[in-house]
C-alpha cells in the first residue's frame, strides 16, 4: 500500500483540507518531499506543516498502515480508484476514508435514512419498514449508526439480508453508542463501516455534524423519518439539498414534537413521502441513468394480496387504534364489548406487524 499526500498531510499541523486537496491533485508524495522549504511555502504550506512533512518519520501514518493490513480493513484516499464517485462531487469531500467490511458497497446506489435519536415506536418501525423495503429492491441503506432512527434503518436492511453502510463520527476502533456494539459488529460483517477519523479517534460532539455531509454525499437521496426542529438530521437534509440531492420527509402527527422537523422540511420543498413508491417515482430515472438499476414498484393490489388476512374480531380492534399512540384506557372504552379478549388480540396484532406498543399506548402502522 502506497502512502499518499492526503494521508501524511492529514496529520500535519496547520494544514487546511483545501491546500491538501490541491497538492494531492498535482503532486505525488515523493515529488512534494523533494521540494525546498521555500517552494513548499509558495504552495501554501505553513511552517509547522513543512517541518512535519520534511521529517519523513510519520508514526501516526505508520500506525494507520498497520491497521489497514488487517482483513477487510481499508484506507481510501481521494485519488484512489475505490473512492466513491458521488462523494467526489460534494464541495468538501473527505480526503481520506477508513473502512471495515465490504468496500464494493461504495459503488452501489445508496439512500440515506436519518432522523431523531428519540423516535416514537411508530417512527422507529416506519424507519425499519422503509429500510427493509428499499434494501429488498437493491438499494444500500446509509445512515449514521446513532440511537433511534439511524439504528432502526440499519436493522431494517440487515433483517432482509440487504446492504447497509454506517458512517461514524469517531474512529473505527470505538463502539459508539455502546448500545449499538452488536449492531456495529453486524454491519462490519455484512455491510460497511466508514469514517474520516483515524481509528483511535474518540467520539466528539463536533464530529457528528461533520460526518453528516458524507451520509448525504454518498446517497442519491436523503429520507428523514421523525425529526425535531433542532435535530441533527435536519443538518443532513440541508447538506443533501446543497449537494443537489433529493430530500424526502415522512409527515407525522401534529401532536408529535419529533415530527415538526419533517413538517418544516416539507414546507421548504422536500417531497412528502407516504409509501416506498413515492421515493421510487423520484429516484428511478437517476438510478437507471447512473447505476443501470431497474426497481420494481409494487402495485396496491400486490400489496393487498401479500397482506395477512385478519380475523373479524382482530380487524374490529385494529380499526379502533389510531396511527398516533392510543392509550390502553381509550382502547378499553372503545372495545367495551371485547374487553376479555382485548389483551390477547393486541398481542396478536403486534406479532403480526400491524401495531407497535410503547409507554404511550398502541400505534397502528401504515399498511
Amino acid at each position: 500500500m502506497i502512502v499518499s499526500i492526503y494521508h501524511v498531510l492529514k496529520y500535519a499541523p496547520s494544514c487546511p483540507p483545501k491546500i491538501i486537496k490541491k497538492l494531492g491533485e498535482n503532486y505525488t508524495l515523493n515529488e512534494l518531499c523533494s521540494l525546498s522549504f521555500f517552494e513548499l511555502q509558495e504552495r501554501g504550506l505553513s511552517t509547522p506543516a513543512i517541518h512535519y512533512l520534511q521529517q519523513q518519520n510519520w508514526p501516526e501514518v505508520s500506525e494507520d498502515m498497520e491497521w489497514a493490513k488487517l482483513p477487510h480493513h481499508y484506507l481510501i484516499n481521494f485519488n484512489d480508484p475505490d473512492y466513491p464517485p458521488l462523494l467526489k462531487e460534494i464541495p468538501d469531500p473527505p480526503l481520506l476514508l477508513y473502512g471495515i467490511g465490504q468496500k464494493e458497497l461504495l459503488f452501489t446506489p445508496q439512500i440515506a435514512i436519518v432522523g431523531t435519536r428519540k423516535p416514537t415506536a411508530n417512527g422507529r418501525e416506519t424507519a425499519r419498514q422503509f429500510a427493509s423495503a428499499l434494501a429488498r429492491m437493491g438499494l444500500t441503506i446509509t445512515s449514521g449508526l446513532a440511537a433511534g432512527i439511524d439504528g432502526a434503518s440499519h436493522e431494517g436492511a440487515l433483517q432482509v439480508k440487504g446492504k447497509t453502510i454506517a458512517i461514524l463520527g469517531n474512529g473505527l476502533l470505538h463502539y459508539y453508542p455502546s448500545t449499538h456494539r452488536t449492531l456495529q459488529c453486524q454491519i462490519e460483517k455484512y455491510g460497511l463501516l466508514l469514517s474520516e477519523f483515524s481509528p483511535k479517534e474518540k467520539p466528539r460532539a463536533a464530529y457528528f455534524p461533520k460526518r453528516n455531509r458524507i451520509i448525504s454525499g454518498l446517497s442519491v437521496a436523503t429520507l428523514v423519518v421523525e425529526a425535531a426542529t433542532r435535530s441533527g438530521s435536519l443538518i443532513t437534509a440541508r447538506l443533501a439539498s446543497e449537494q443537489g440531492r433529493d430530500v424526502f420527509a415522512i409527515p407525522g402527527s401534529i401532536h408529535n414534537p419529533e415530527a415538526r422537523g419533517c413538517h418544516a422540511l416539507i414546507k421548504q420543498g422536500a417531497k412528502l413521502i407516504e409509501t416506498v413508491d413515492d421515493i421510487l417515482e423520484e429516484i428511478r430515472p437517476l438510478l437507471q441513468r447512473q447505476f443501470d438499476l431497474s426497481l420494481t414498484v409494487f402495485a396496491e393490489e400486490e400489496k393487498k394480496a401479500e397482506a395477512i388476512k385478519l380475523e373479524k374480531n382482530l380487524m374490529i380492534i385494529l380499526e379502533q387504534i389510531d396511527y398516533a399512540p392510543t392509550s390502553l384506557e381509550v382502547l378499553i372504552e372503545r372495545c367495551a364489548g371485547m374487553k376479555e379478549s382485548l389483551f390477547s388480540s393486541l398481542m396478536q396484532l403486534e406479532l403480526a406487524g400491524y401495531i407497535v406498543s410503547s409507554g404511550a399506548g398502541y400505534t397502528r402502522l401504515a399498511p
Side-chain angles (χ1 to χ4, degrees):
M1 187 182 296
I2 300 172
V3 179
S4 70
I5 286 177
Y6 302 108
H7 197 177
V8 173
L9 293 185
K10 169 188 171 67
Y11 291 107
S14 306
C15 197
K18 285 184 178 179
I19 297 293
I20 300 174
K21 185 171 182 288
K22 186 176 180 180
L23 291 172
E25 290 172 340
N26 292 282
Y27 299 92
T28 66
L29 183 58
N30 287 337
E31 288 170 344
L32 196 67
C33 289
S34 69
L35 298 178
S36 70
F37 184 93
F38 297 106
E39 287 173 323
L40 291 170
Q41 270 192 328
E42 287 175 350
R43 284 154 181 79
L45 285 181
S46 66
T47 297
I50 295 170
H51 287 321
Y52 182 84
L53 177 68
Q54 291 184 333
Q55 73 182 18
Q56 297 198 27
N57 175 26
W58 310 301
E60 304 94 339
V61 174
S62 299
E63 211 169 90
D64 285 352
M65 298 297 282
E66 287 301 311
W67 175 88
K69 290 177 183 177
L70 294 170
H72 307 294
H73 285 53
Y74 313 103
L75 278 171
I76 304 171
N77 71 65
F78 190 73
N79 286 345
D80 197 302
D82 288 327
Y83 195 95
L86 273 183
L87 194 58
K88 275 196 170 186
E89 296 177 3
I90 72 173
D92 52 349
L95 302 179
L96 188 69
L97 292 168
Y98 300 81
I100 307 178
Q102 303 173 27
K103 69 177 177 181
E104 61 271 18
L105 295 186
L106 293 172
F107 290 86
T108 60
Q110 300 169 45
I111 184 162
I113 304 182
V114 297
T116 177
R117 285 175 167 81
K118 298 178 180 179
T120 62
N122 192 34
R124 186 185 300 275
E125 187 59 28
T126 297
R128 192 175 285 119
Q129 288 182 347
F130 269 78
S132 293
L134 291 165
R136 281 196 199 99
M137 295 175 187
L139 288 166
T140 296
I141 306 303
T142 298
S143 196
L145 198 64
I149 296 300
D150 287 21
S153 302
H154 293 303
E155 289 166 357
L158 292 171
Q159 281 172 359
V160 296
K161 295 182 171 56
K163 296 167 287 193
T164 189
I165 298 175
I167 313 301
L168 276 60
N170 49 265
L172 299 181
L173 287 175
H174 296 280
Y175 294 94
Y176 188 85
S178 57
T179 52
H180 278 172
R181 186 185 185 100
T182 300
L183 179 58
Q184 187 169 330
C185 290
Q186 289 177 328
I187 297 172
E188 180 179 323
K189 186 175 181 180
Y190 300 109
L192 178 65
L193 299 173
L194 205 64
S195 177
E196 66 178 314
F197 304 105
S198 54
K200 288 185 177 181
E201 195 72 37
K202 293 181 179 179
R204 295 184 186 178
Y207 289 171
F208 294 95
K210 188 179 181 185
R211 65 89 196 268
N212 290 350
R213 79 191 194 289
I214 303 177
I215 295 174
S216 57
L218 285 168
S219 307
V220 296
T222 294
L223 171 66
V224 184
V225 183
E226 284 197 338
T229 50
R230 294 191 177 184
S231 170
S233 55
L234 297 190
I235 296 174
T236 311
R238 175 179 58 79
L239 290 168
S241 181
E242 291 173 359
Q243 292 163 357
R245 313 292 165 83
D246 286 325
V247 177
F248 306 135
I250 297 177
S253 166
I254 59 171
H255 305 293
N256 177 13
E258 296 298 338
R260 289 172 189 161
C262 289
H263 295 167
L265 287 174
I266 293 166
K267 288 177 183 177
Q268 293 162 16
K271 175 157 183 175
L272 186 154
I273 298 298
E274 294 179 313
T275 68
V276 170
D277 290 355
D278 294 335
I279 295 174
L280 301 185
E281 181 184 331
E282 294 295 317
I283 66 173
R284 180 188 299 278
L286 176 64
L287 295 178
Q288 289 175 335
R289 186 170 64 252
Q290 290 194 359
F291 297 95
D292 193 27
L293 178 69
S294 297
L295 301 176
T296 303
V297 177
F298 294 124
E300 287 301 317
E301 291 74 20
E302 290 174 323
K303 291 179 182 176
K304 291 174 184 175
E306 290 174 359
I308 301 170
K309 290 186 177 180
L310 292 177
E311 296 175 8
K312 186 177 180 181
N313 65 316
L314 292 178
M315 183 58 74
I316 292 171
I317 292 173
L318 181 61
E319 288 172 352
Q320 304 307 312
I321 301 172
D322 300 325
Y323 289 102
T326 309
S327 69
L328 184 59
E329 291 77 11
V330 170
L331 282 175
I332 290 173
E333 184 179 333
R334 291 178 181 177
C335 306
M338 308 175 73
K339 189 174 179 180
E340 291 183 4
S341 62
L342 180 60
F343 291 100
S344 63
S345 297
L346 289 171
M347 186 178 294
Q348 289 180 60
L349 287 169
E350 186 164 13
L351 289 172
Y354 286 91
I355 63 172
V356 290
S357 60
S358 65
Y362 295 86
T363 304
R364 186 172 178 179
L365 298 175

